[in-house]
Amino acid sequence: MLIDRKKERILAIITAPVMLIAIWMIFFYVPQMKGNAGEILDSSFKIFYFHLPIAMVSYLAFTVVFIASIMQLRGNNRKWDIVAQSAAEVGVVFAFLVLVTGSIWAKATWGWYWIWEPRLTTSLALFLVYLAYLMLRQALEEPEKRARLAAVFGIVGFMSVPLSFFSIRLWRSAHPLMFGGSSYGGSGGGLEGTSLQLTLMVNMLAFALLFVSMLIYRVNNEALKEEIDEAKYKSA
C-alpha cells in the first residue's frame, strides 16, 4: 500500500515552510506578555504554542490508531495494521514531547517540573498506554495474531485519549482550560488578541502537516519493508 512518493515529497515541501513560519511567529510575531503594572513577563509562555499543538496532534495520532484498529478487525486487511502501527509510533513521539514541553511550562508556572495533577498524570498514562501497545507488537512474531491483538489493544487503549482531554473538566486541576467553559477548580483559559490566536492556528496547521508527513513516511517504510520480506520469502 505504498503511497505515491511524489505526493509524499510535495507534502514535505509544503510542511517545511509552514513549520518555519509557525516558529517565526512564536518568537517574533507574538507580542511580549505584560503584567498589571506594565512590566514584561517571563517569555516562557511561548512554550504553550508548541505544547498545545503537539498535544492535539498526539490525540489525532491515537484517534487514527483507533479507527485503523476497527478497520483491521472488520476486514483483516494488513494495510490497516500498518497504518495503526505507524500512527502509534508517531503518536508516542508526540506524546513524549507533550510531557517534555508540559514539564517546562510547569516549571515556569508552578516552580516544579512535575506535579501529580490530573492533566499531567493522564498525559503520562496516555504515553505509557501506547508505549505498551508498541511493546506488545514487538513481543508477537506471528503477523495475524499480532495484528488482531494489537487492534483490540488499540481500540481499548483509546479510552485514555478522552480521559486525558477531559481530565481538567472532570477533576480539580491547576492546568489552564483553553477550549471554552471553566475547569473544575482550574484556571480559565482562552487567548485574547488576533496575533495570539493566529499564531496558535498556524502552529496547529504546521504540526498537523508534520504529523501527516511523518505518518505517510512511516506507512511507506513499513509497506516497503513488507514487500522486501515477501520477495525474500518467495526467492527462498
Side-chain angles (χ1 to χ4, degrees), residues 109-110 168 172-178 180-190:
T109 304
W110 304 317
I168 56 178
R172 191 178 299 275
S173 174
H175 194 285
L177 179 63
M178 298 309 303
S182 58
S183 58
Y184 182 77
S187 56

Side-chain angles (χ1 to χ4, degrees), residues 51-103:
H51 178 70
L52 181 58
I54 288 172
M56 299 307 296
V57 166
S58 71
Y59 294 149
L60 173 61
F62 299 139
T63 301
V64 172
V65 176
F66 175 68
I67 295 172
S69 296
I70 293 175
M71 299 303 294
Q72 166 63 26
L73 289 180
R74 288 184 59 186
N76 193 29
N77 192 322
R78 172 63 177 152
K79 72 177 183 179
W80 292 112
D81 186 50
I82 292 177
V83 171
Q85 176 185 350
S86 302
E89 290 174 349
V90 177
V92 164
V93 172
F94 278 95
F96 175 73
L97 292 176
V98 170
L99 296 174
V100 172
T101 54
S103 296

Side-chain angles (χ1 to χ4, degrees), residues 151-222:
V152 173
F153 195 122
I155 293 170
V156 175
F158 182 74
M159 291 188 297
S160 59
V161 174
L163 181 65
S164 173
F165 182 78
F166 292 110
S167 59
I168 56 178
R169 292 170 171 82
L170 298 174
W171 297 289
R172 191 178 299 275
S173 174
H175 194 285
L177 179 63
M178 298 309 303
F179 296 104
S182 58
S183 58
Y184 182 77
S187 56
L191 291 176
E192 297 181 358
T194 302
S195 61
L196 304 182
Q197 295 172 354
L198 181 60
T199 300
L200 180 59
M201 290 174 61
V202 172
N203 274 269
M204 286 284 196
L205 174 62
F207 279 99
L209 287 172
L210 180 61
F211 163 69
V212 175
S213 298
M214 294 175 68
L215 177 61
I216 291 176
Y217 176 79
R218 287 297 301 132
V219 167
N220 279 341
N221 275 7
E222 285 299 317

